Structures are given as C-alpha cells and as structure tokens.
Amino acid sequence: MVWLILGLVLFLGVHSVAIVAPLVRDRWAQRLGEGAWKGLYTLVSLVGLGLIVWGYGLAREAPVLLYSLPAGFRHLAALLMLPVFVLLFAAYLPGRIQAAAKHPMLLAVKLWALAHLLAQSVTGGTLADVLLFGGFLVWAIADRISVKRRAAAGLLRSLPLGPPRARNDAIALAGGLAVYLLFAFWLHAVLFGVRPFG
C-alpha cells in the first residue's frame, strides 16, 4: 500500500502544482528552462505512474475490503465508461464535443474514476480501489474548480489546438468508441487481468 500511496503523491502532486500554486509552474519553467521543466515534470509523472501500477498490483494480493455493491452497478460502470475515450480524443480535437465538455480530459478522469469505484460490485471495493480511483476523482474535481478560478484570474494556459472542426468530432467519436471496445473486450484483461464483461 505504501508504494501505491507514494505513486499517487508523486503523480497527482506534480499534476496539482497549478491547483495549489498557479504561478509556481511558470517560475520553475523560467528558472529551469521550459524544456528542463517539462522533462522533470514528465520524469516525476512516469515514476509516480509506475509506482501506482506496481503498488496497486501488490495491494490486490492482500485486499482490504471496504464496501460491496449490487452486481447491477457493473452495468452502470460500463455505461459511464462509454464516453471516456471519446472525451480523451476530444481534449485534443477542437469541436462541439470539446466545447460542450469544456474540459474533456478532466470529465474523462472523473467518469473513469467513478466508473471504477462502481465496478467493484463483484469482488467488492477495497482500500486500494478507494485510494486509487477515489484519489483521481478528488483530484479531477479539485482541478476543475481550480481551472474556473485560474480562468477568472487570467492565469489559465491553453494549448493552441486550431479551429473547431466537425470532422474532429467524428474522429473523437469513432476513435473513442473503437478504443472503448478494444479495452472492454480484450485490452483491459491483457493489461490488468480483469474482464469488464466477465
């Protein structure tokens, strides 16, 4: 459990710099140089992600059960996951989906985390599940609130992604649904040892 927590602290911590101290990112980028800052940010993120995966795997070997849900919640989880990959695509493809979601990446993280907390209806939700998925859910909610505040203060940085295009929505929809099906029926089991649909 220690490795999972350490991984979450590193990964979510580096992704929370703009939440807790919006100007710190700019100061560090100036001090180190943009390239060095991005390199450090990426390195800490990758180490954190690696520790999360390893720690979660270790925690699953000796689960601490916290809750159980009716089996039907798995179907709700599958439904919540349906737009997740579409939103991830839309985060980088300007169009109506991106405009409607406002911050599609954060919405995708919230839906992913909530779906995985609900998906524990067969084996039961464990402490590791709550730490991992609950941690990401709380982070995404906090970041969404922070984004609103930063936008109001003129501190929000945005990527130049080009003008909105209808074809971007089609790409996001087709690509997102294809990846969803790939994960649901094959890749999730290969990567995580769990088949979402039994």
Side-chain angles (χ1 to χ4, degrees):
M1 201 71 71
V2 172
W3 299 114
L4 172 60
I5 293 169
L6 180 59
L8 286 166
V9 167
L10 287 174
F11 187 85
L12 295 178
V14 77
H15 283 84
S16 298
V17 172
I19 296 174
V20 296
L23 299 176
V24 167
R25 185 255 175 236
D26 294 332
R27 280 192 219 122
W28 275 99
Q30 265 186 336
R31 190 174 298 160
L32 297 174
E34 191 72 29
W37 164 253
K38 286 181 179 177
L40 180 62
Y41 185 95
T42 302
L43 179 64
V44 173
S45 295
L46 288 174
V47 169
L49 185 60
L51 288 172
I52 288 170
V53 171
W54 186 46
Y56 185 71
L58 290 174
R60 285 176 61 190
E61 293 175 8
V64 178
L65 189 64
L66 293 182
Y67 65 92
S68 60
L69 297 169
F73 276 84
R74 284 184 77 185
H75 304 297
L76 178 58
L79 187 62
L80 286 172
M81 282 299 297
L82 197 56
V84 167
F85 292 106
V86 174
L87 290 165
L88 289 176
F89 273 75
Y92 299 99
L93 296 166
R96 286 186 176 179
I97 297 172
Q98 188 185 84
K102 293 186 181 168
H103 299 282
M105 181 74 73
L106 291 176
L107 181 55
V109 171
K110 287 188 270 190
L111 290 172
W112 168 82
L114 180 59
H116 281 78
L117 286 170
L118 297 176
Q120 311 305 322
S121 57
V122 173
T123 57
T126 67
L127 178 58
D129 296 324
V130 171
L131 287 172
L132 175 59
F133 304 117
F136 271 90
L137 181 58
V138 169
W139 170 82
I141 291 168
D143 198 23
R144 182 65 181 96
I145 293 166
S146 173
V147 164
K148 285 182 185 177
R149 290 184 179 155
R150 281 180 281 155
L155 299 173
L156 193 61
R157 297 164 47 99
S158 60
L159 296 173
L161 297 174
R165 296 202 163 120
R167 73 177 179 189
N168 286 345
D169 290 327
I171 293 168
L173 194 59
L177 291 176
V179 173
Y180 172 83
L181 292 172
L182 185 67
F183 259 86
F185 293 103
W186 180 67
L187 203 51
H188 200 279
V190 170
L191 294 175
F192 309 111
V194 177
R195 296 184 179 278
F197 295 108

